[in-house]
Amino acid sequence: MLSLIFHLNSLRFMLPAVGMLGVSPAFLTLWVPFKVLSTILPKRFFVRVDDSFYSFYQRLVLFYYEHYTGIQLVLYGDAEEIMKKKENIVYMSNHQCTVDWIVADMVSVRQGSLGHLRYILKDGLRYFPLYGYYFEQHGSVYIKRAGKFQEARTVKNLERLKDMPFWLVVFPEGTRYNPENPNVIAKSQEFAQSRDLAVLEHVLTPRFKATCLCIQTLREEIDAVYDVTVAYSNTNSADGKRRTAPSMPDFLQKVSPQVHVHVARIDIKDIPEDEEKLKSWMMERYVFKEQLLKRFYSDDPAVSGTLDDKGVVSPLPLKNTLPALLFWTSYTSLLLATSSGRSLYWRISVFGTLSLLGLMAIRS
């Protein structure tokens, strides 16, 4: 019986994993010809159509992460206000797990900006098969950490965003907050003490460089910063000990019934231009995140499990994701139904992956 339960739980993850990863070669059979054609057309044409491609694929992803899992997204703060806006923003979030990427999808799709998501990504992710290359083409920026940080190159890549709409997603902590990895938390707190900064318990001390560079480089194009704080319901335990946030496979196995998201919108005019003042402003925002999360993990049952008193459940209509699911699965199935289609699919899967990995290595 235990073995059967284990296999059924595995299937909960395998079905959507195959559904999402399996369509990526099919996605490229449509995107690559468009990319070639777009070289003789204005950049704005490429950006507009590519954003539509990206949005339509991510709606497939959201089908699995929202409708398949049945999660509830609970929104707080300025979330209702931002749903009425169309603007270029820096999305600055705390970081606990890989699902944080999907939460950016969840928020942006409700605002109509899903296709505009671009990410600040650690450099190693450029070698992720197929996706690593595509994310760069879509406008994401890869950065190297610490002493290997290349400021001039990062600025050049950020400047590409000046000609396109963007929700630029950045996780300033640089690595994930994991209560099962106390050494990372301790080092973060020691760093804060050595710099006379606030010592934080529920988030790591932010790394300022990349986020400051984003705001400084794109200030004229940015309308606001969305300061986003995310908490997962399964991490709030009855014994008062914070649990590890869910991985993507965990989440697809429905371990987190709710995702709580607080959004504070800060107009760019209210954000300092001076670098030292900008760092202080960032630190103030992380102290604010700390206060929200202290409430969420409080042992007071009256407030525990909430980020403030005004959370609203935000359902996503099935019509926002189901057409993408039907299209991508049908198209992939049709592609695999013929010998020529299968040949193209596997050529992209194998030779496309190898050639793009080589290309990304040359560019690193």
Side-chain angles (χ1 to χ4, degrees):
M1 179 61 73
L2 288 176
S3 177
L4 176 60
I5 293 172
F6 174 80
H7 287 300
L8 288 174
N9 283 334
S10 297
L11 287 174
R12 284 184 180 179
F13 161 62
M14 290 302 297
L15 175 63
V18 170
M20 289 182 286
L21 296 176
V23 305
S24 55
F27 173 92
L28 289 177
T29 66
L30 299 177
W31 183 83
V32 170
F34 154 69
K35 171 67 175 175
V36 173
L37 174 64
S38 70
T39 58
I40 60 173
L41 297 171
K43 180 181 176 181
R44 65 178 179 274
F45 174 80
F46 170 78
V47 170
R48 184 176 300 173
V49 178
D50 177 59
D51 282 2
S52 297
F53 266 109
Y54 184 83
S55 176
F56 203 47
Y57 174 78
Q58 290 299 328
R59 288 171 190 273
L60 164 74
V61 173
L62 282 172
F63 172 84
Y64 289 113
Y65 278 93
E66 290 217 40
H67 293 120
Y68 175 82
T69 60
I71 67 101
Q72 286 185 329
L73 183 69
V74 186
L75 297 176
Y76 304 81
D78 299 325
E80 184 177 353
E81 175 190 348
I82 70 166
M83 296 309 166
K84 304 171 185 176
K85 297 179 180 291
K86 287 289 187 293
E87 52 188 355
N88 287 342
I89 62 109
V90 172
Y91 174 109
M92 185 175 72
S93 175
N94 61 317
H95 194 24
Q96 305 165 76
C97 60
T98 49
V99 181
D100 296 334
W101 290 28
I102 308 299
V103 174
D105 280 9
M106 294 175 180
V107 177
S108 63
V109 74
R110 287 165 169 78
Q111 199 254 18
S113 298
L114 181 58
H116 302 163
L117 284 178
R118 333 281 176 187
Y119 290 88
I120 299 297
L121 300 170
K122 61 183 181 181
D123 195 63
L125 290 173
R126 69 170 55 243
Y127 301 113
F128 197 90
L130 300 182
Y131 290 91
Y133 172 78
Y134 176 71
F135 273 122
E136 183 182 61
Q137 295 299 302
H138 184 63
S140 293
V141 177
Y142 293 106
I143 62 170
K144 295 183 178 180
R145 294 181 177 180
K148 296 181 179 180
F149 184 78
Q150 299 171 319
E151 182 171 336
R153 179 177 179 177
T154 302
V155 169
K156 181 180 178 181
N157 288 329
L158 285 169
E159 286 178 340
R160 293 188 301 148
L161 302 183
K162 292 182 176 181
D163 296 326
M164 60 182 75
F166 59 83
W167 271 42
L168 184 58
V169 179
V170 58
F171 301 108
E173 289 160 276
T175 192
R176 302 169 199 165
Y177 179 101
N178 184 349
E180 293 184 2
N181 195 345
N183 289 337
V184 170
I185 298 171
K187 286 181 180 178
S188 173
Q189 293 173 339
E190 289 168 6
F191 174 83
Q193 288 176 328
S194 70
R195 299 295 193 278
D196 199 25
L197 301 172
V199 177
L200 307 172
E201 297 179 9
H202 292 288
V203 287
L204 302 177
T205 306
R207 301 181 182 186
F208 303 109
K209 189 64 178 178
T211 308
C212 287
L213 204 58
C214 291
I215 295 173
Q216 291 168 331
T217 304
L218 297 171
R219 176 174 282 273
E220 295 302 315
E221 285 71 33
I222 295 170
D223 297 299
V225 170
Y226 291 179
D227 181 21
V228 179
T229 305
V230 180
Y232 298 92
S233 60
N234 69 301
T235 61
N236 189 15
S237 61
D239 60 8
K241 293 182 179 179
R242 181 173 172 177
R243 297 193 186 107
T244 303
S247 65
M248 285 184 173
D250 290 337
F251 198 85
L252 290 169
Q253 293 179 72
K254 310 181 182 184
V255 302
S256 186
Q258 292 182 324
V259 178
H260 296 257
V261 181
H262 186 285
V263 182
R265 182 189 182 275
I266 301 99
D267 195 284
I268 191 64
K269 298 190 298 293
D270 298 325
I271 298 174
E273 294 187 34
D274 176 78
E275 185 167 344
E276 291 305 312
K277 291 181 180 179
L278 183 55
K279 290 178 181 179
S280 296
W281 172 84
M282 280 186 63
M283 197 65 213
E284 289 171 5
R285 297 314 309 172
Y286 266 76
V287 170
F288 179 72
K289 291 179 186 293
E290 175 76 10
Q291 293 168 349
L292 293 176
L293 291 169
K294 273 189 176 180
R295 172 192 172 106
F296 191 86
Y297 295 108
S298 168
D299 57 7
D300 180 356
V303 299
S304 178
T306 62
L307 293 172
D308 71 25
D309 293 329
K310 299 179 180 179
V312 176
V313 175
S314 176
L316 182 67
L318 187 60
K319 66 181 181 181
N320 284 349
T321 63
L322 186 59
L325 172 76
L326 296 175
F327 174 81
W328 288 117
T329 53
S330 298
Y331 176 63
T332 304
S333 299
L334 289 172
L335 197 64
L336 294 173
T338 65
S339 58
S340 58
R342 287 193 296 273
S343 176
L344 176 61
Y345 182 93
W346 290 112
R347 283 176 183 272
I348 289 176
S349 299
V350 179
F351 298 111
T353 294
L354 293 175
S355 60
L356 292 177
L357 286 175
L359 178 61
M360 296 304 284
I362 292 171
R363 291 180 178 179
S364 66

